[in-house]
Amino acid sequence: MSMESYIPFNKPHLTGKELQYIEQAHAQGQLSGDGPFTKRCNAWLEQQTGCKKALLTHSCTAALEMAAMLADIQPGDEVIMPSYTFVSTANAFVLRGGVPIFVDIRPDTLNIDEMQIEAAIAPKTKAIVPVHYAGVGCEMDAIMAIADKHHLLVIEDAAQGIMSSYKGKPLGSIGHFGCLSFHETKNIISGEGGALLINDERFIERAEIIREKGTNRSKFFRGQVDKYTWVDIGSSYLPGEIVAAFLWAQMDEAKKITQKRLAIWHAYHGALLSYAREGVMRLPVIPAECKHNAHMFYLLFGNLDMRTRAIEFLKQRGVLSVFHYIPLHSSPAGAKFGRAHGDMAVTNDTSDRLLRLPLYYDMTEADTQKVIEVLSILF
Ligand SMILES: *Cc1c(COP(=O)(O)O)cnc(C)c1O
């Protein structure tokens, strides 16, 4: 296998404007956070999602941690979430002493099964954390109705969901909070990066304080107080201006990036549909009310053996594919800090059978065709 013919699983995309904006940030003299580039990114997110307030953070993990503080999670409080997700979804709440209650996923979208949420609610339940897997929206109408009825907060883990929507509403703008990621494995990137979207005004002032080390520094800069001081718990959750300048170059091209990814996604889907109809594997399911961002293209094989064989087959022919997640309820920390509600049958099963194909902006048509060709030989 020669290096030229090798197709990686992911390759971070550069728009070409990153260095120009970083140079501007350098020249403007402010390198710490909340300078002109951070403000531009926040404003873009507010316009793009319609949230009441967007605050850039240094990661989605940081945004989730801020949301856990804003939700006032106390030791023993329960938080309902899927087990089929990245560790940060749970960790953010465990850091506050919260207990993740893992609920199974739907077999079609692989999102939290909204029909199983209500049975997992107990007197100590404080919040629900839907994760929009692959940038495809959870059944948010049902989830918001359950949260309303039981007076729970909803924190959307929209790490994979930038430029996606559910019934016309951008992901991250539906619950009380939305958490986005700009990690280099996501669609719009800044290396490490994220944002907290606040959709309920009551939380804005405290969010600014928590993000600025527990001080009222933001108010000070707006001239609303004449000195700033320590007023609450908090940490340093904001990125520096260099990172924000990089991110601004990406936001500028968010539409173009999404369109290109969607084109690759549809090429895969169209070419593999006939194999799926034969029952060799199944393709992603996108509900009619969801517009997605082509964050991911996955295949669901019949069993673990078939998936293992597929990974090896692709690798031998120069195509790198990956699987995830090890369900949180069966990980050492998940078993220690959390609890599964129900048998988790779909989660366990999916974790064994799912395979992610290469999907990145700079994939050429020839790259996509090669992946499809190798898969056709396998099938
Ligand atoms: C990537 C991801 C995160 C973490 O994002 P970071 O920005 O790396 O902290 C959290 N949740 C989900 C579902 C993710 O995919």
Side-chain angles (χ1 to χ4, degrees):
M1 179 177 92
S2 69
M3 284 306 284
E4 300 91 276
S5 62
Y6 156 93
I7 299 172
F9 168 68
N10 182 46
K11 201 151 84 183
H13 169 63
L14 298 174
T15 67
K17 290 194 231 153
E18 285 82 0
L19 288 179
Q20 184 193 322
Y21 290 146
I22 286 172
E23 218 170 284
Q24 278 180 35
H26 178 255
Q28 86 204 355
Q30 182 185 344
L31 295 172
S32 61
D34 281 344
F37 280 105
T38 304
K39 288 190 176 120
R40 250 180 251 180
C41 292
N42 288 343
W44 185 90
L45 285 167
E46 283 161 13
Q47 210 231 332
Q48 179 62 37
T49 66
C51 71
K52 297 268 164 49
K53 185 89 194 166
L55 296 170
L56 279 200
T57 55
H58 54 71
S59 62
C60 179
T61 302
L64 286 161
E65 286 178 21
M66 284 183 67
M69 288 182 198
L70 289 163
D72 206 24
I73 300 299
Q74 298 296 315
D77 284 348
E78 297 185 359
V79 182
I80 295 171
M81 63 182 70
S83 169
Y84 193 69
T85 180
F86 186 65
V87 296
S88 295
T89 315
N91 240 336
F93 299 91
V94 171
L95 280 169
R96 315 298 331 144
V99 181
I101 303 298
F102 300 115
V103 166
D104 210 354
I105 50 174
R106 293 163 55 122
D108 55 357
T109 56
L110 312 182
N111 280 330
I112 190 165
D113 184 348
E114 69 280 359
M115 305 293 277
Q116 295 194 39
I117 291 176
E118 209 156 13
I121 294 174
K124 287 205 152 182
T125 308
K126 268 272 183 71
I128 306 172
V129 188
V131 178
H132 304 297
Y133 183 69
V136 179
C138 296
E139 208 22 83
M140 290 307 291
D141 277 357
I143 292 170
M144 294 311 291
I146 293 166
D148 260 7
K149 183 175 156 196
H150 296 274
H151 310 291
L152 305 175
L153 290 172
V154 174
I155 300 153
E156 297 176 69
D157 182 336
Q160 305 174 7
I162 187 90
M163 308 298 281
S164 291
S165 62
Y166 165 84
K167 296 192 178 173
K169 294 178 201 158
L171 301 186
S173 75
I174 306 164
H176 299 83
F177 305 103
C179 303
L180 302 177
S181 175
F182 305 115
H183 186 263
E184 73 169 25
T185 52
K186 305 302 200 287
N187 290 17
I188 308 298
I189 62 172
S190 56
E192 304 282 349
L196 177 67
L197 307 184
I198 302 162
N199 304 311
D200 182 331
E201 281 139 327
R202 286 178 301 162
F203 296 102
I204 295 176
E205 191 176 328
R206 188 162 187 236
E208 289 178 338
I209 289 167
I210 286 170
R211 180 166 165 274
E212 271 284 16
K213 302 98 185 165
T215 72
N216 55 358
R217 199 162 183 255
S218 300
K219 267 188 145 173
F220 173 73
F221 281 129
R222 286 197 296 263
Q224 291 165 334
V225 289
D226 57 11
K227 58 182 183 303
Y228 80 85
T229 184
W230 184 22
V231 293
D232 202 339
I233 58 164
S235 190
S236 183
Y237 286 123
L238 64 168
E241 275 289 283
I242 297 285
V243 167
F246 189 107
L247 184 59
W248 179 244
Q250 298 262 324
M251 285 179 168
D252 229 13
E253 301 210 350
K255 253 199 194 125
K256 189 173 143 198
I257 291 169
T258 309
Q259 276 165 5
K260 173 81 188 285
R261 295 185 70 103
L262 279 165
I264 298 166
W265 194 98
H266 284 290
Y268 276 147
H269 195 271
L272 299 173
L273 197 55
S274 60
Y275 300 106
R277 287 198 176 123
E278 286 166 18
V280 183
M281 45 73 199
R282 95 144 168 83
L283 298 174
V285 174
I286 314 292
E289 59 270 28
C290 295
K291 265 209 180 117
H292 74 109
N293 59 1
H295 174 60
M296 199 188 291
F297 196 95
Y298 64 80
L299 304 175
L300 268 176
F301 285 89
N303 57 46
L304 177 61
D305 269 0
M306 288 163 89
R307 182 184 71 183
T308 307
R309 253 185 291 138
I311 294 175
E312 194 51 34
F313 191 88
L314 286 161
K315 193 173 151 202
Q316 278 167 5
R317 286 152 187 84
V319 177
L320 287 194
S321 59
V322 302
F323 63 85
H324 73 180
Y325 296 103
I326 306 296
L328 296 186
H329 73 274
S330 47
S331 68
K336 183 172 169 189
F337 298 119
R339 205 166 61 236
H341 188 275
D343 65 6
M344 310 304 277
V346 183
T347 299
N348 293 331
D349 184 52
T350 301
S351 166
D352 278 349
R353 300 196 290 122
L354 185 129
L355 183 69
R356 297 178 61 184
L357 298 181
L359 204 176
Y360 50 91
Y361 182 90
D362 294 304
M363 250 183 121
T364 63
E365 216 160 291
D367 291 335
T368 316
Q369 284 315 314
K370 182 179 169 183
V371 178
I372 291 166
E373 202 184 291
V374 174
L375 282 169
S376 347
I377 303 167
L378 172 70
F379 299 149

